[in-house]
Amino acid sequence: MERENFGSKLGAVLAAAGSAVGLGNVWRFPIETGQNGGAAFIIIYILCILLLGLPIMISEFLIGRHTHANTAGAFRIISNGSPWKWVGRMGVFSGWFILCYYVVVGAWTMHYTFLSATNAFDDVPAQQYEDIFNNFVANPWLPTLWLFLFIGVIHFVITQGVRSGIEKSAKLMMPTLFIITIFLAICSVSLPGASRGIEFLLKPDWSKVTSTTVLDAMGQAFYSLSLAMGCLCTYASYFDKKTPLAKSAVNVATIDTLIAIMAGFIIFPSVFNIGMNPNDVGVGAGLTFVSLPNVFQQALGDGSILAVIFSTLFYFLLFVAALTSAISLHEVATAYVTEEFKMSRKKGATLVTVTILVLGTLCSLSFGPLSNVKLFDRNIFSLFDDFSGRFLLPLGGMLISIFAGWILDRKLYHDEISNNGDLKAPYFKLLVASLRYIAPFAIGLVFLDQLGMFDFIKK
Ligand code: PFF
């Protein structure tokens, strides 16, 4: 069967941007920025993207586009079957592994969109939001129901194929996401007291920057750009020979960073508007599902139509962001099984979906009936989250940069990024230098940090 391609350059960039823009942009980046020196953190973050993120993203694009194969196949082909092929296999595994817990949060965003739209937060006392969330996730049925629905949507898109499924949905969802983000940011910024929120987010405070800040920025940049999980390599395998790799990578990183900064404009003006201390809002699920529903109600008028619209759009935005990222993760595994085991797309996708349904349900139930199942002091959800984020992601990133910088043929590299001489690549030397000398070392530090080695040394 002939392999599909994306139909346009725009479609290719939007699909890859869809992978990058996800929960990480909203529930981690803004609060990390606010607490780590505002604009100072943003500058460090952008440097991490320029020096580490882009070189690795371009390398993943290149490996995928050159081989036109799924990530495992791509690394096998480009490494001529040497042990480096394991980097591709690890990427496929990592993508699949992340997806198992990512879908759980995707399901939560659906539930919170529903709650917001039905004005369920009207008249809820501030201290009760935590119970609402805890009771919801501990319920054995409701989160599972949303989970099945969320996975059902992913499955539907994936089975439609690369052009009619992934590309078409990205072309619809990414502009929607952009418009909602801008609308919400404008609303939030026009609230009384908003300027203090903007100041919190943007005022540079270099005194807050420590070595940990830099490591955090690197880790966040990696996660946010969807690196080392096979997604970008898989999507790039559907790029045509004319797609400019470096320019596409810059576009994806720009969209991702802009959305992350705008998410801060949505969150902090509202937080300051109600006089809440931004250090008390929490991060991740605590921020998103406990603090923010309360913040939005109070800032916009409890139970008011404005609060309903704002809150519904916010959770819908999160849903779309999570969905496009989850689709990209599913595609990594689907492309792998269909190509490596010669199955139809439908069969391959179904196989992946079934595994995600089972493991996703286990992750979801780990907040309720399975909360006692623990390993290394973590529930099932945290095991998936921590193992992929702290271990697989930095290890994968490090191996990709070493492979691309030291092993991959330089001429092949140059031919690909210049589209066989059609494009200029004045940044080529810097790119190679980063892949060879900067990225492996820097990511190695993140790796040790994530494993807790520095804490160990400090002790
Ligand atoms: N980049 C996504 C986010 O910021 O939420 C998460 C993600 C998606 C990570 C796909 C890795 C990945 F391969």
Side-chain angles (χ1 to χ4, degrees):
M1 213 182 81
E2 230 191 89
R3 217 167 176 274
E4 272 192 282
N5 259 357
F6 286 128
S8 65
K9 290 190 191 94
L10 178 71
V13 167
L14 288 182
S19 175
V21 176
L23 296 163
N25 296 59
V26 182
W27 84 358
R28 254 206 106 78
F29 179 85
I31 189 74
E32 271 202 334
T33 304
Q35 288 175 344
N36 289 304
F41 181 84
I42 294 181
I43 291 170
I44 294 172
Y45 180 81
I46 291 175
L47 280 177
C48 290
I49 288 193
L50 290 175
L51 285 174
L52 311 166
L54 281 176
I56 295 181
M57 191 188 283
I58 293 170
S59 306
E60 283 199 45
F61 276 174
L62 182 151
I63 294 168
R65 208 241 335 236
H66 180 75
T67 54
H68 287 303
N70 71 86
T71 302
F75 273 83
R76 192 186 53 242
I77 296 168
I78 211 158
S79 69
N80 292 321
S82 77
W84 285 100
K85 64 177 182 249
W86 284 97
V87 178
R89 293 176 182 173
M90 193 177 112
V92 175
F93 176 75
S94 311
W96 173 78
F97 205 74
I98 271 208
L99 185 59
C100 295
Y101 84 85
Y102 205 82
V103 285
V104 174
V105 188
W108 296 349
T109 64
M110 284 177 109
H111 181 62
Y112 270 67
T113 309
F114 175 77
L115 289 183
S116 306
T118 51
N119 205 3
F121 299 127
D122 181 19
D123 251 354
V124 172
Q127 48 309 351
Q128 222 166 304
Y129 283 90
E130 194 164 351
D131 290 342
I132 294 179
F133 178 67
N134 288 339
N135 291 339
F136 163 62
V137 295
N139 183 312
W141 299 110
L142 202 53
T144 316
L145 191 83
W146 286 115
L147 181 76
F148 275 52
L149 212 69
F150 188 73
I151 296 176
V153 181
I154 303 171
H155 183 78
F156 174 76
V157 174
I158 293 287
T159 47
Q160 300 306 302
V162 174
R163 267 194 205 189
S164 322
I166 299 171
E167 183 175 358
K168 204 166 158 191
S169 65
K171 277 181 160 169
L172 178 77
M173 289 197 277
M174 291 312 287
T176 310
L177 186 141
F178 216 71
I179 292 169
I180 298 180
T181 308
I182 292 175
F183 174 76
L184 293 179
I186 291 175
C187 284
S188 191
V189 165
S190 6
L191 288 169
S195 56
R196 276 185 300 138
I198 299 171
E199 195 182 309
F200 173 73
L201 191 69
L202 292 186
K203 194 171 163 213
D205 181 355
W206 290 97
S207 71
K208 292 218 178 107
V209 173
T210 61
S211 55
T212 318
T213 320
V214 180
L215 293 174
D216 280 355
M218 278 197 254
Q220 174 64 19
F222 262 67
Y223 184 81
S224 196
L225 294 177
S226 298
L227 300 177
M229 297 283 159
C231 292
L232 302 174
C233 187
T234 305
Y235 274 6
S237 73
Y238 308 128
F239 287 5
D240 70 21
K241 288 285 172 212
K242 291 219 171 89
T243 306
L245 298 183
K247 193 172 156 204
S248 303
V250 170
N251 286 339
V252 171
T254 309
I255 296 174
D256 189 62
T257 309
L258 279 180
I259 298 267
I261 294 174
M262 278 200 285
F265 284 120
I266 297 175
I267 296 172
F268 289 111
S270 315
V271 168
F272 276 88
N273 172 268
I274 68 164
M276 202 168 166
N277 182 345
N279 295 318
D280 293 339
V281 294
V283 296
L287 167 76
T288 315
F289 301 107
V290 178
S291 300
L292 289 184
N294 173 36
V295 167
F296 296 152
Q297 289 300 312
Q298 292 194 41
L300 297 150
D302 208 353
S304 70
I305 181 79
L306 216 65
V308 170
I309 295 174
F310 193 94
S311 186
T312 308
L313 282 177
F314 177 78
Y315 288 104
F316 183 70
L317 164 79
L318 269 182
F319 161 70
V320 173
L323 183 63
T324 48
S325 298
I327 289 170
S328 74
L329 289 162
H330 196 300
E331 179 60 21
V332 174
T334 301
Y336 169 69
V337 288
T338 48
E339 289 175 15
E340 299 292 306
F341 301 99
K342 314 251 174 301
M343 280 180 205
S344 70
R345 187 169 184 86
K346 247 202 182 118
K347 257 203 194 137
T350 308
L351 191 76
V352 175
T353 297
V354 170
T355 62
I356 299 299
L357 280 174
V358 174
L359 290 166
T361 306
L362 291 180
C363 284
S364 181
L365 292 177
S366 69
F367 294 98
L370 298 182
S371 57
N372 288 330
V373 181
K374 290 207 167 143
L375 201 68
F376 305 117
D377 221 18
R378 291 171 168 82
N379 69 9
I380 305 174
F381 180 97
S382 306
L383 275 176
F384 274 78
D385 182 3
D386 281 351
F387 185 63
S388 48
R390 287 171 188 264
F391 185 78
L392 293 174
L393 202 144
L395 182 63
M398 194 161 71
L399 291 174
I400 292 174
S401 60
I402 295 174
F403 177 72
W406 293 95
I407 314 287
L408 206 59
D409 180 47
R410 282 241 208 148
K411 179 166 172 346
L412 184 152
Y413 204 111
H414 191 270
D415 286 350
E416 278 292 336
I417 56 169
S418 67
N419 285 357
N420 285 321
D422 284 352
L423 305 170
K424 291 211 174 72
Y427 47 80
F428 183 62
K429 280 210 172 111
L430 187 66
L431 199 73
V432 174
S434 163
L435 289 167
R436 287 194 152 196
Y437 306 107
I438 309 175
F441 177 70
I443 305 165
L445 290 180
V446 178
F447 194 32
L448 294 179
D449 180 54
Q450 298 282 14
L451 291 179
M453 297 301 253
F454 292 146
D455 298 345
F456 185 69
I457 295 166
K458 267 184 239 153
K459 270 177 209 157

